[in-house]
Amino acid sequence: QVQLVESGGGSVQAGGSLKLSCAASGYMHRRYCMGWFRQAAGKEREGVAAVYSDGSTGYADSVKGRFTISKDNAKNTLYLQMNSLKPEDTGMYYCAYEGFSYGGNWNRCLTTRNGLDAWGQGTQVTVPS
């Protein structure tokens, strides 16, 4: 079973940057996706960015050109570099993992709000208006 621990959240002025980290431990499938989700107060959780084990990535339209997802396989760590932050980026950010016995792609870790194999506890990002 995979365990995920996020870090790096905080409060930053609009236009600023933050880099989130997600440390993974435990058994990981050879084929897997990992993703970042966020949930603002009173809203549904939404996918932000995702990566597949082959390095392919996908992003929500709202963050394209501003956020970059990456992973360090040696450290088993997932990152989310967030630039040009806006107040609407405020929310709790979660990382998630899904393993595949065969096939798979990043899309599942971008569009599946619930039911992935593992979720972290979340890290808060606040961008005051």
Side-chain angles (χ1 to χ4, degrees):
Q1 188 174 358
V2 173
Q3 293 82 42
L4 304 171
V5 179
E6 303 97 333
S7 61
S11 182
V12 61
Q13 291 185 341
S17 298
L18 276 177
K19 187 173 185 178
L20 306 183
S21 299
C22 173
S25 61
Y27 172 76
M28 295 181 72
H29 286 71
R30 181 181 176 185
R31 298 180 181 86
Y32 64 89
C33 67
M34 296 186 74
W36 288 98
F37 292 77
R38 67 186 180 191
Q39 188 167 18
K43 295 187 177 181
E44 290 187 336
R45 184 157 53 188
E46 61 175 352
V48 175
V51 61
Y52 186 55
S53 44
D54 67 358
S56 57
T57 59
Y59 296 89
D61 288 343
S62 59
V63 306
K64 281 180 181 177
R66 300 189 298 122
F67 291 11
T68 302
I69 189 170
S70 62
K71 59 187 179 74
D72 184 328
N73 293 327
K75 295 182 178 180
N76 279 347
T77 301
L78 182 73
Y79 301 100
L80 185 67
Q81 177 67 48
M82 305 185 293
N83 300 327
S84 302
L85 282 161
K86 305 176 181 180
E88 51 264 43
D89 294 319
T90 294
M92 186 69 78
Y93 282 69
Y94 301 89
C95 72
Y97 162 91
E98 176 88 342
F100 302 96
S101 297
Y102 58 92
N105 55 58
W106 53 258
N107 187 65
R108 180 156 174 82
C109 283
L110 186 65
T111 60
T112 305
R113 297 174 183 174
N114 297 290
L116 296 177
D117 288 343
W119 292 86
Q121 83 288 350
T123 187
Q124 178 69 35
V125 172
T126 302
V127 187
S129 56

